[in-house]
Amino acid sequence: MRYIIYGPPGTGKTHTLLGHIEKFLETTPPDQVGYFTFSKNAAGEGKQRAVDKFKLSYDDLPYFQTLHSFCFNQLGINKNQVMQPKHYRELSEKMQIELEFNQKQDEDYDGVFYSTDPYIQMINLARSKELDPIKFYHLANNSKISLNKLQIIVEELERYKEQNGLIDFPDMLEKFLDSGEAPRLRVMFVDEAQDLSLIQWRLVKKIEEKSQDSYISGDDDQAIYKWNGAHVNTFINLEGERTVLDQSQRVPQKPFALANRLIKRVNNRVEKEWLPKEDEGSVQRCDTLHDVNFKQGKWLVLAQANYMLAGIGEILDEKGLYWQRRNNVPKIKNIYKIVQKWNDLKKGIPLHYNDVKEIKFKMTKDNWNSKLFKKIIKDGFYGVDTLKEKYGLQTEAEWDKALDEVGDEDIKKIKKLLEKGEDLTKNPRISISTIHGVKGNERENIVVTTDISGAAFDEYQKNSDDMNRLFYVACTRTERNLYIIEPQTRKAYNL
């Protein structure tokens, strides 16, 4: 039997799914329960919860994992069989075509990489849609990709893998679908199903064939990864016993009303009735980002495209605010840690060599003699007098004078933030991100900028469904207040 759980924003979809898993684990051997997710973090959360509640080991839950790591493990692949950065580099040299080597380690499992090169990405995206890359090129109409270059890379990549006995990221799914054996499960769970690609849906259904029951969870209204191969229509058309979680614990009434108007613009969706929490909340419209008062509370400022974040950061700097890009530790915070260590040293607190070294590297030769510093013992603790007498320290000035390798702008920024009462030892109250980067996140105050990129605007004019979903996700991140920034250009979403 297949059960479908629709979870509108803040209704506890993953929590509900994990609750079902716990009930099955009370009577079902753990190796007969599968929990498959889109991200490693989600799989890890489910596994940890089961381990803690039922006193299990991680090995007891072999099928709590992402779909890619499931294939990786079922096929018995090791990382030496998978394309690594060195292989793409060698392939690039053989073709005499430059590929980007800014490789990222995939978070699904250790040792497997995927390329950030636009040509490799297009090939992989085509394969996720089960399309020939050349046919996909003509459908995508990507002017930044050369057809001739793409054809060469497609041919040479396959030849290189065959000659060296290697596979790449999409090969894992294809190989399992062709020859892999699915385990016989009492029940399988799939979370964030709206984000699955066509080939991942085939994989889910292959596992499902040998499962007595299945629970498929997601929200088609929050399907914002079409650009990355997600095929939301498969989820929309899925047959099974449907349940809609109908009470949000996050979204207040006024933001809820706006978000509901947006999502009703989507033509192809599953209709859902759900309720906001009791708080009224607020929706406020501002002419520019300068008009938002960020003085108190926690904030998330959202933009449609990554390149827009630099401009947002500049405005926040002009307003003298402490902020960060989503999960990145701000430069100012790292500098301030060294400021604190310098202040401790001046107070007579001995510091370990590692802390002393950090301080030294923020000083020029005018404040620290590098030749004498080389004589220092690396495992010791040192006070300011010892550092001055033996190891080259030449100042006890205030931090803004002593740490003279710190730029003037950073010094001014730190002083200004401290004057405003910001605690630079903590993460900033304000984060900025693309909308795609924060699905699943929430914040007391959400600011949504409405300008969109030229390419996104052209697509929006042809079919607005994807953009409606995107801004629906943005507006439903708020726990209290929603701020809408009016368009600054002619290319903007109508909010």
Side-chain angles (χ1 to χ4, degrees):
M1 180 70 181
R2 178 192 290 152
Y3 302 90
I4 306 171
I5 300 173
Y6 296 98
T11 56
K13 170 175 55 64
T14 299
H15 177 79
T16 299
L17 210 58
L18 292 174
H20 283 300
I21 290 172
E22 287 182 358
K23 287 181 181 178
F24 273 99
L25 284 173
E26 289 173 358
T27 57
T28 306
D31 62 354
Q32 291 183 25
V33 178
Y35 178 53
F36 305 102
T37 66
F38 194 66
S39 72
K40 181 180 177 181
N41 287 341
E45 179 187 350
K47 180 176 283 193
Q48 189 62 54
R49 185 163 160 172
V51 164
D52 292 342
K53 180 156 188 175
F54 296 100
K55 305 296 185 286
L56 302 171
S57 72
Y58 291 123
D59 291 340
D60 292 328
L61 300 162
Y63 304 118
F64 279 54
Q65 54 194 168
T66 64
L67 289 169
H68 277 92
S69 57
F70 170 79
C71 293
F72 183 84
N73 293 325
Q74 289 297 109
L75 292 170
I77 299 168
N78 66 67
K79 65 181 181 181
N80 295 324
Q81 296 172 269
V82 182
M83 289 285 287
Q84 304 284 332
K86 64 181 181 181
H87 299 124
Y88 286 108
R89 188 173 291 109
E90 184 178 38
L91 173 64
S92 177
E93 291 169 357
K94 284 187 174 182
M95 295 188 299
Q96 295 187 327
I97 293 176
E98 186 176 352
L99 297 175
E100 290 182 14
F101 295 128
N102 180 25
Q103 311 290 336
K104 295 182 180 179
Q105 185 169 6
D106 184 73
E107 62 173 15
D108 288 350
Y109 37 80
D110 292 335
V112 178
F113 293 78
Y114 67 92
S115 176
T116 58
D117 182 86
Y119 286 86
I120 302 298
Q121 283 188 336
M122 174 168 267
I123 293 168
N124 290 348
L125 181 55
R127 293 173 67 188
S128 77
K129 294 173 176 284
E130 301 191 288
L131 291 173
D132 173 77
I134 306 307
K135 181 179 180 180
F136 180 63
Y137 165 84
H138 291 293
L139 291 171
N141 194 26
N142 190 331
S143 60
K144 295 180 181 179
I145 298 288
S146 159
L147 176 58
N148 182 55
K149 186 175 175 182
L150 179 65
Q151 289 172 323
I152 294 170
I153 294 172
V154 168
E155 293 174 7
E156 292 301 321
L157 175 59
E158 290 306 310
R159 184 177 292 115
Y160 180 87
K161 289 189 295 182
E162 185 175 349
Q163 290 174 347
N164 292 278
L166 296 167
I167 64 173
D168 60 15
F169 201 74
D171 287 331
M172 295 177 201
L173 275 73
E174 293 174 2
K175 285 184 177 295
F176 181 80
L177 287 168
D178 288 342
S179 59
E181 186 69 26
R184 193 168 295 281
L185 300 175
R186 168 63 184 85
V187 62
M188 68 172 289
F189 297 86
V190 178
D191 201 4
E192 302 294 353
Q194 76 279 348
D195 295 330
L196 300 179
S197 66
L198 278 173
I199 195 167
Q200 288 171 326
W201 273 113
R202 282 183 59 206
L203 174 58
V204 165
K205 289 176 180 179
K206 180 167 181 171
I207 302 170
E208 196 177 35
E209 286 174 0
K210 288 196 172 181
S211 298
Q212 187 174 332
D213 289 311
S214 64
Y215 288 75
I216 313 293
S217 175
D219 183 10
D220 55 294
D221 292 336
Q222 298 184 71
I224 60 173
Y225 294 113
K226 181 180 176 182
W227 57 274
N228 199 34
H231 197 264
V232 65
N233 286 349
T234 302
F235 184 53
I236 290 171
N237 297 326
L238 202 64
E239 294 183 355
E241 184 176 304
R242 298 183 172 192
T243 300
V244 177
L245 303 179
D246 58 5
Q247 180 61 61
S248 179
Q249 303 300 322
R250 177 203 304 157
V251 187
Q253 294 178 24
K254 287 187 175 179
F256 167 84
L258 173 61
N260 246 7
R261 289 199 298 272
L262 298 185
I263 204 61
K264 289 185 185 301
R265 298 174 183 175
V266 174
N267 293 311
N268 186 25
R269 61 182 291 264
V270 176
E271 189 65 39
K272 306 169 199 71
E273 295 294 332
W274 60 289
L275 299 171
K277 64 182 183 182
E278 289 185 3
D279 292 355
E280 187 176 78
S282 73
V283 176
Q284 302 176 48
R285 295 184 179 271
C286 303
D287 289 335
T288 72
L289 192 57
H290 290 281
D291 300 324
V292 179
N293 184 351
F294 290 94
K295 190 172 182 180
Q296 294 181 331
K298 294 187 176 182
W299 297 76
L300 190 54
V301 185
L302 301 176
Q304 179 266 325
N306 193 58
Y307 74 86
M308 298 172 176
L309 299 181
I312 291 172
E314 288 174 5
I315 293 173
L316 297 179
D317 283 340
E318 288 172 19
K319 291 170 71 70
L321 296 168
Y322 182 39
W323 61 275
Q324 68 179 20
R325 278 201 183 206
R326 200 160 59 114
N327 297 322
N328 294 341
V329 177
K331 176 185 175 185
I332 291 298
K333 183 180 179 183
N334 288 329
I335 295 173
Y336 189 64
K337 282 182 182 177
I338 299 172
V339 170
Q340 288 183 297
K341 290 172 184 177
W342 172 247
N343 289 337
D344 286 344
L345 190 67
K346 286 184 61 185
K347 291 174 186 174
I349 300 172
L351 299 183
H352 187 270
Y353 163 79
N354 291 335
D355 296 324
V356 172
K357 183 172 69 170
E358 285 187 352
I359 293 171
K360 191 266 176 193
F361 285 140
K362 290 298 179 184
M363 294 187 181
T364 66
K365 61 182 180 181
D366 294 332
N367 286 341
W368 205 310
N369 185 320
S370 294
K371 289 183 180 179
L372 291 175
F373 183 73
K374 290 178 181 177
K375 298 179 181 179
I376 198 168
I377 298 171
K378 295 183 178 181
D379 291 331
F381 282 80
Y382 302 91
V384 67
D385 292 337
T386 304
L387 292 170
K388 289 184 73 176
E389 290 169 12
K390 296 182 179 180
Y391 301 114
L393 178 61
Q394 298 174 164
T395 183
E396 285 189 58
E398 293 300 312
W399 72 268
D400 56 331
K401 303 298 182 187
L403 305 177
D404 51 352
E405 276 286 3
V406 176
D408 291 341
E409 286 300 314
D410 288 330
I411 290 173
K412 288 178 185 176
K413 191 180 291 187
I414 289 172
K415 286 184 172 181
K416 191 172 183 179
L417 292 171
L418 291 174
E419 287 170 5
K420 287 192 166 192
E422 293 285 1
D423 186 350
L424 303 189
T425 65
K426 296 180 179 178
N427 288 331
R429 297 180 299 107
I430 304 167
S431 295
I432 68 175
S433 175
T434 61
I435 302 169
H436 287 102
V438 293
K439 193 167 79 68
N441 283 261
E442 55 192 35
R443 203 65 61 92
E444 177 185 358
N445 302 290
I446 298 292
V447 181
V448 179
T449 60
T450 51
D451 293 294
I452 60 180
S453 69
F457 185 77
D458 290 343
E459 189 62 34
Y460 174 44
Q461 296 298 101
K462 296 174 190 172
N463 185 340
S464 66
D465 279 6
D466 289 337
M467 202 58 62
N468 291 327
R469 289 188 179 109
L470 186 69
F471 279 87
Y472 171 80
V473 166
C475 292
T476 55
R477 299 309 92 198
T478 185
E479 298 171 317
R480 182 174 297 174
N481 304 309
L482 177 63
Y483 296 80
I484 308 298
I485 306 302
E486 298 295 346
Q488 308 299 297
T489 68
R490 288 181 297 173
K491 294 181 178 179
Y493 178 73
N494 178 19
L495 224 172

